[in-house]
């Protein structure tokens, strides 16, 4: 059940530092809350370096609309970027087939792009890819192509 986080800090000309965390968290009953709190502390530790905006992206194993998802967005600290542009598609699945943990449950949205609220970054487009409609599938999870406006 090892979960690794890839952290990047990108210096964007005329914008500044964008912090990007690519994550794969565990299911709620396998450590999600502990991992998410550690991730939040790690991201917070980078702010003294002048980060202007941050994104958390990846497989959160936190089904849209359920408790773990609300743990991320419920206090308004982070905003689900796909939901911001497509509020009617909150529950649209982000994977195909049977994956671990979903053997007796319908597919759900567990892959996200979260932006910290009130930062100078605005999502303009976010489209599921690698779903055989946009690009061929490369995994049981789809990806997202996102475009942001920096201001």
């Amino acid at each position: 059940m090892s979960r690794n986080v890839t952290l990047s800090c990108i210096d964007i000309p005329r914008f500044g530092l964008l912090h990007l965390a690519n994550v794969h968290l565990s299911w709620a009953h396998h450590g999600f809350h502990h991992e998410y709190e550690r991730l939040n502390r790690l991201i917070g530790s980078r702010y003294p370096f002048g980060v202007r905006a941050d994104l958390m992206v990846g497989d959160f194993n936190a089904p849209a609309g359920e408790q773990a998802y609300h743990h991320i967005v419920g206090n308004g600290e982070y905003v689900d970027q796909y939901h911001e542009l497509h509020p009617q598609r909150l529950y649209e699945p982000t994977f195909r087939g049977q994956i671990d943990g979903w053997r007796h449950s319908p597919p759900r949205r567990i892959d996200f792009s979260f932006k910290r609220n009130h930062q100078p970054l605005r999502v303009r487009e976010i489209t599921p890819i690698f779903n055989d409609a946009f690009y061929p599938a490369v995994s049981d999870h789809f990806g997202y192509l996102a475009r942001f406006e920096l201001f």
Side-chain angles (χ1 to χ4, degrees):
M1 297 297 275
S2 175
R3 299 293 193 237
N4 296 304
V5 173
T6 303
L7 298 173
S8 299
C9 201
I10 304 163
D11 191 2
I12 301 172
R14 295 180 305 279
F15 178 77
L17 297 176
L18 172 66
H19 190 266
L20 182 65
N22 186 354
V23 310
H24 185 186
L25 301 182
S26 297
W27 295 101
H29 58 282
H30 285 151
F32 166 84
H33 290 89
H34 174 71
E35 292 169 1
Y36 181 74
E37 295 313 317
R38 287 183 61 205
L39 172 64
N40 235 359
R41 282 194 307 274
L42 181 60
I43 291 170
S45 75
R46 306 299 171 118
Y47 270 84
F49 300 107
V51 172
R52 289 211 51 215
D54 72 85
L55 295 169
M56 295 187 306
V57 301
D59 180 353
F60 286 79
N61 282 316
E66 294 188 11
Q67 190 275 333
Y69 173 85
H70 286 293
H71 187 74
I72 299 170
V73 300
N75 67 0
E77 183 178 13
Y78 281 96
V79 179
D80 176 351
Q81 297 300 276
Y82 189 75
H83 181 57
E84 186 167 289
L85 284 184
H86 307 288
Q88 71 285 5
R89 294 160 64 181
L90 176 66
Y91 301 104
E92 187 173 279
T94 57
F95 61 89
R96 72 176 74 251
Q98 297 294 316
I99 63 173
D100 190 31
W102 294 99
R103 302 214 191 299
H104 306 291
S105 181
R108 295 192 181 120
R109 191 160 72 96
I110 59 174
D111 302 282
F112 300 97
S113 177
F114 293 111
K115 176 193 73 98
R116 189 177 300 271
N117 208 357
H118 307 298
Q119 291 188 329
L121 186 66
R122 183 178 306 127
V123 67
R124 288 295 180 202
E125 175 187 350
I126 190 163
T127 306
I129 60 173
F130 307 125
N131 58 1
D132 285 334
F134 194 91
Y135 285 119
V138 297
S139 167
D140 57 347
H141 290 254
F142 309 145
Y144 287 110
L145 173 63
R147 296 180 197 279
F148 291 87
E149 175 184 14
L150 310 172
F151 57 93

